[in-house]
Amino acid sequence: MKLVLDTANIDKIKDYLTYLPVAGVTTNPSILKKEGSIDFVEHMKEIRSLIGKERSLHIQVIQEDYQGMLDDAHKILNLIDKDVYIKIPVSKDGLAAIKTLKAEGVNITATAIYSTIQAILAKELGADYLAPYVNRMENLNTDPYEVIYQVAQDCLGSDTEILAASFKNVSQVLKASQAGANYVTVGTDVIDSFLANANIAKATHDFAADWQMNFAKDQI
Ligand code: G3P
């Protein structure tokens, strides 16, 4: 399971880079809204400088129509860098935009995936990553793990990767991974719960206390 950060918060990204195996960063307009009145281009460039080119950066288009998505994609690529994965929602216009942008050689992350058929169509058009929305599917009484399993079977032998998204707890993250998602993009609320078990701190403290009670401080 490769971990991607579903946040645009600079302090959080800096912190996670110190102790997590970070494969990339994903954003969307709702995630960016949480950062307040930022300079979008400068903010994205700062994230890129933090994660480097060896990790993927995924930025979503804003407009909903075909031409608007193409315009947004070209602006993002020109203003930030050509290695960005352009996130395109899998609608009718989105599929058309994916088709055009892949013909131009653009990196694509197909997003807002709520069904197997959306994912398969985007994959057939050459999308590099497919982002099924796990928690949002569960809210709609769709089994996201069955969708991920079916998509993973369809992706066998292709270069398309599953980047599962929309998580509200660790259990969803692990189940998505077990169902076949090669990547998961996880928000700060769930990431911060990875190590939130108080027993970890207690065990660490107990070991340190036992050492200090039995050994001289200068032994190590
Ligand atoms: O990447 C965005 C996707 O994770 C949506 O998440 O929490 O808005 O359902 P959420």
Side-chain angles (χ1 to χ4, degrees):
M1 182 190 89
K2 297 194 188 309
L3 175 67
V4 175
L5 309 177
D6 206 15
T7 181
N9 185 277
I10 299 292
D11 290 339
K12 287 287 190 183
I13 292 169
K14 282 182 182 170
D15 184 40
Y16 295 146
L17 284 168
T18 67
Y19 73 97
L20 289 173
V22 177
V25 169
T26 51
T27 67
N28 63 34
S30 304
I31 288 170
L32 290 167
K33 183 181 161 195
K34 293 180 190 168
E35 302 310 309
S37 55
I38 54 170
D39 178 319
F40 168 70
V41 172
E42 289 309 311
H43 199 90
M44 288 300 113
K45 285 183 174 174
E46 187 172 0
I47 292 176
R48 170 63 87 195
S49 74
L50 288 172
I51 66 174
K53 288 285 179 81
E54 68 273 22
R55 298 182 180 90
S56 59
L57 176 59
H58 308 246
I59 303 176
Q60 190 159 327
V61 295
I62 295 146
Q63 300 184 67
E64 298 168 55
D65 63 295
Y66 167 74
Q67 191 56 51
M69 289 184 190
L70 293 189
D71 292 346
D72 286 351
H74 292 141
K75 280 183 199 160
I76 291 166
L77 294 167
N78 287 332
L79 292 170
I80 299 163
D81 64 61
K82 306 285 184 205
D83 295 316
V84 167
Y85 285 80
I86 301 295
K87 286 178 71 182
I88 308 262
V90 182
S91 58
K92 178 178 174 182
D93 284 48
L95 285 172
I98 290 171
K99 189 172 183 180
T100 299
L101 291 167
K102 280 314 298 179
E104 296 174 9
V106 173
N107 296 326
I108 295 291
T109 298
T111 194
I113 291 175
Y114 291 81
S115 67
T116 305
I117 188 67
Q118 279 179 287
I120 289 175
L121 293 172
K123 172 240 167 187
E124 288 298 319
L125 291 172
D128 301 279
Y129 291 94
L130 306 170
Y133 279 3
V134 172
N135 188 66
R136 293 190 190 204
M137 275 192 263
E138 284 197 331
N139 288 346
L140 296 168
N141 199 32
T142 298
D143 182 347
Y145 314 110
E146 180 60 24
V147 169
I148 290 170
Y149 177 77
Q150 290 175 0
V151 175
Q153 297 306 302
D154 192 72
C155 287
L156 284 175
S158 82
D159 292 331
T160 304
E161 307 270 19
I162 300 176
L163 168 63
S166 179
F167 295 108
K168 288 292 165 280
N169 58 60
V170 177
S171 175
Q172 290 175 331
V173 173
L174 295 176
K175 283 162 75 176
S177 171
Q178 286 155 9
N182 334 56
Y183 291 76
V184 291
T185 185
V186 187
T188 58
D189 50 346
V190 178
I191 290 178
D192 289 341
S193 72
F194 285 174
L195 303 173
N197 189 328
N199 289 306
I200 303 170
K202 181 178 183 319
T204 308
H205 176 75
D206 288 349
F207 291 136
D210 283 344
W211 174 270
Q212 281 162 13
M213 281 175 58
N214 291 285
F215 299 99
K217 278 187 179 168
D218 57 2
Q219 283 201 25
I220 59 169

